[in-house]
Amino acid sequence: MDLIRTLPLKGRVEMDIPMKELTTLRVGGKADCVVFAGSESDVEQLALFCADRDVPLTVVGRGSNLLVRDGGLSGVVLLMGKAFADVRVEKKRVYAQAGATLGAAARAAQQAGLAGLEFAEGIPGSVGGGVRMNAGAYGGEMSGVVERVRVLQKNGEVIWLDKTQMDFGYRHSAVEKSGAVVLEAVFALQPDDREAIAVRMNDYAARRREKQPLTYPSAGSFFKRPEGYFAGKLIEDAGLKGASVGGAQVSEKHAGFLINRGGATFADMAELIRQVQQRVLEETGVTLEPEVKIVK
């Protein structure tokens, strides 16, 4: 990994960083090497470096949809953060780099009088991660506002993918399948009154504060929504609200959230996930599939 320090990177390189410091669940052992991206060139150089040497590369934005094992991550973790977070507005479009927060993109749209991204205001993730998994809330999804996405392919080529090529589905996109790295997204929005947009965003924020366990570390809604059901209701109806294993707990406020009440380990979370899946399957015949990416 010391060879990485020879690359002309604008960002910084650090070794043995605990992943619990880089994820919203606050769980995970040390990463061998973490590179804090300082530019798009950093992303391209690291992708090629890792591909040439068959070194695992894990791209992380806000770490809001990630559960990492206690043993940590081998290879390189590329953090797309503040130095890769430009957001700009041109006419009816918002251009956002992958490291920008979804909230920043939503607020830029609101200030420009552009509607469509309000649902993203409270999603605690990055543009790159949100596009990759087709994040959504309150009836809105990335697929409804993304016009095109610029990505770095595994062969090192940077290309634009339009909405059709992104093959969006429920918590899915072509990027997720191919392993390409999202560099930038373009959102096509519609003009509206800035105050009206702000009212909708404030309403969504109030609903989140009322219904979600925002005071504890979590990864948001942990399980995908089964067709015809709501994961949180299935878990609550199975009598699992408040169930815990070590420091991991099914939130007492919203059963669709698994939270870290303090000191939770990957083993705690994994066992709680297993118990929830098993009980719900026994009670309803429904298999719950994690929405969160689990790195074992």
Side-chain angles (χ1 to χ4, degrees):
M1 292 302 172
D2 286 340
L3 281 175
I4 289 179
R5 297 188 185 277
T6 67
L7 297 175
L9 303 176
K10 293 184 179 180
R12 73 182 192 275
V13 179
E14 296 189 16
M15 304 295 181
D16 298 326
I17 301 296
M19 287 302 296
K20 66 182 180 181
E21 295 179 4
L22 303 178
T23 62
T24 58
L25 255 175
R26 298 292 183 261
V27 173
K30 292 181 179 180
D32 288 346
C33 175
V34 177
V35 177
F36 296 80
S39 68
E40 188 170 305
S41 174
D42 286 1
V43 181
E44 295 176 7
Q45 289 185 72
L46 280 169
L48 290 174
F49 175 92
C50 292
D52 288 345
R53 292 164 178 78
D54 199 27
V55 173
L57 175 65
T58 303
V59 181
V60 176
R62 300 275 289 177
S64 61
N65 207 50
L66 195 63
L67 173 58
V68 180
R69 67 187 179 93
D70 297 327
L73 285 177
S74 59
V76 177
V77 172
L78 174 59
L79 197 70
M80 312 275 272
K82 294 179 180 179
F84 201 77
D86 182 62
V87 178
R88 71 185 192 280
V89 179
E90 294 183 11
K91 296 183 180 179
K92 296 180 183 179
R93 288 170 175 78
V94 172
Y95 295 75
Q97 286 185 300
T101 66
L102 289 168
R107 290 188 291 275
Q110 183 273 327
Q111 290 167 11
L114 295 175
L117 266 176
E118 294 92 319
F119 73 91
E121 158 65 17
I123 299 176
S126 65
V127 167
V131 169
R132 184 179 184 276
M133 68 169 292
N134 190 20
Y138 299 111
E141 287 185 327
M142 292 288 105
S143 60
V145 289
V146 167
E147 179 180 71
R148 54 198 175 113
V149 181
R150 195 157 57 88
V151 303
L152 173 66
Q153 299 189 109
K154 283 191 171 182
N155 63 5
E157 183 182 5
V158 176
I159 64 171
W160 282 99
L161 298 176
D162 63 26
K163 184 175 180 176
T164 302
Q165 293 170 308
M166 283 295 293
D167 188 32
F168 283 118
Y170 177 65
R171 302 299 178 261
H172 164 81
S173 75
V175 172
E176 180 186 38
K177 185 176 181 180
S178 70
V181 179
V182 175
L183 299 174
E184 179 183 15
V186 181
F187 302 104
L189 308 173
Q190 296 299 318
D192 197 357
D193 179 73
R194 282 184 293 180
E195 291 304 316
I197 298 171
V199 167
R200 291 193 290 272
M201 290 172 67
N202 290 337
D203 176 56
Y204 293 152
R207 291 195 221 177
R208 285 188 172 93
R209 288 193 298 271
E210 178 186 355
K211 298 180 180 179
Q212 298 179 8
L214 302 181
T215 57
Y216 290 99
S218 81
S221 296
F222 201 91
F223 298 98
K224 293 181 180 179
R225 185 180 67 245
E227 187 172 354
Y229 300 91
F230 291 99
K233 188 173 189 309
L234 290 175
I235 296 168
E236 183 174 354
D237 289 348
L240 290 168
K241 207 170 189 179
S244 63
V245 174
Q249 183 184 53
V250 176
S251 170
E252 296 175 321
K253 193 171 187 179
H254 190 312
F257 285 65
L258 303 189
I259 63 173
N260 181 352
R261 287 189 60 90
T265 64
F266 177 88
D268 293 339
M269 295 298 302
E271 175 58 19
L272 184 59
I273 293 164
R274 187 196 68 78
Q275 290 183 17
V276 168
Q277 289 175 315
Q278 180 178 329
R279 178 78 69 82
V280 170
L281 181 61
E282 291 173 349
E283 297 276 337
T284 67
V286 176
T287 299
L288 291 179
E289 180 183 350
E291 179 175 305
V292 172
K293 181 180 179 182
I294 301 175
V295 183
K296 298 181 180 180

